[in-house]
Amino acid sequence: MSLKEALQRIISTLANKNDEIQNFIDTLNHTLKGVQNQLAQCTNALKCSEELLDFASRSLDIKEPEEFSKAARQIKDRVTMAAAFRLSLKPKVSDNMNHLMVDFSQERQMIQTLKFLSVPKAPEIDTADCLVADNCVTIAWRMQEEDNKIDHYVLEYRKTHFDGLPRIKDERCWEIIDHIKGTEYTLTGVKFEAKYMNFRVRACNKAVAGDYSDPVTLETKALNFSFDSCSSHLNLKVDDSFVEWDSTGGKSQETKVKGKENKGRSGTPSPKRTSFTSRPALARGGRDRFTGESYTVLGDTVIESGQHYWEVKAQKDCKSYSVGVAYKSLGKFDQLGKTGTSWCIYVNNWLQASFAAKHNNKAKALEMNMPDRIGVYCDFDGGQLSFYNASSKQLLYTFKTKFIQPVVPGFMVWCGGLTLYTGLQVPSAVKTLQKNENGMSDSSNSLTSAAQ
């Protein structure tokens, strides 16, 4: 051993001894403080006792019985309350600390019988077993290691427009589905208003929740659009997903316009359709409002490729309505189905009920019950427009053509209202029917034509 190492050992030993001495001094100071407090209390008690003893001795010399009795009572009360009788006369100094020990044997025994649960590990989502169809999303996962202590799972999801891994700061919050007992869950009736959905899951036992799985992103693309209130007929009250015919709409606005035109002679009168800022005269793309008897409103989204599906439900008392598609060039006086640039299903419940497919001012009567809700399938690239009973998925009618321009969803309503449902995938039943229909010859479709 070198001299330097020996010196280091001595220094280390000396430092440890120094710590021991410091700890002993702290103990002595604490003990000394306790003894000093006890000494001060005893000294004060002794002084009070000496004063009481002196008073008692002098009381023995009192001759008057009444004064003697009074003094005796005072002495009795003071003796009862004297501090000397309440003090412990044992010094608070002892090297035996047993009186300060607490018995933890029962608690120790209880702790030893406890069985602690480990934190569950993160599950793993099986993307191969996940399914997106019919506006339902099925998520499947598994534990990387078997864990029979798992009580349930928590699934979280959110909609997003971003592909790939979920962003830390996304525009939407995670939505939670708790207490899932199995390793698979299906979200039903989801409106696909975003292109993608993020998913993550974690396992929980009776005590704690584990870490989240690695998040996955699934594509949930569907057509989303609203009614275009900017170009709708003035007799139509339009919301994003609801349109209603209003017999006073156009007249009330025309009355207001005439009032403004007749008020004063300064300036140039404004056109009728530009008199209300809440409903501008020109729609997106600069088209005029529909007018006359064309109680029409278009969708605000153009279709120029792909396969799409949406649904429409009419009010029970609606007298007349049409549902279909049209080119953007549809004139402001044109009615759906009466031109070569529009295709529709027409429903009439007024006077004499009728149900027909219309295109280029030709109608084909449909010999079937009118559904409460109509599904519209548009295959732009395949030149096909089909209508279905949205509940039963019964095919109502199919137009086959060649779209040479982008189309927009079109709607006509009179004396009633329509509710629009978008964000829908093409249903599996419709896909199957389309495959079967495309494999068969179509000799009954009298309105099949090339788009003009």
Side-chain angles (χ1 to χ4, degrees), residues 30-46:
H30 179 74
T31 303
L32 180 60
K33 185 178 294 185
V35 172
Q36 287 175 341
N37 290 336
Q38 189 178 19
L39 178 62
Q41 293 174 359
C42 290
T43 301
N44 184 56
L46 178 61

Side-chain angles (χ1 to χ4, degrees), residues 41 119 242 262 361-362 381 448:
Q41 293 174 359
V119 177
F242 183 74
N262 296 331
N361 207 24
K362 296 179 182 179
D381 302 314
T448 301

Side-chain angles (χ1 to χ4, degrees), residues 125-132 138-142 183-185 218:
I125 296 179
D126 294 320
T127 54
D129 293 333
C130 295
L131 178 65
V132 180
T138 298
I139 303 297
W141 60 88
R142 65 173 183 269
T183 56
E184 181 179 296
Y185 189 85
L218 301 180

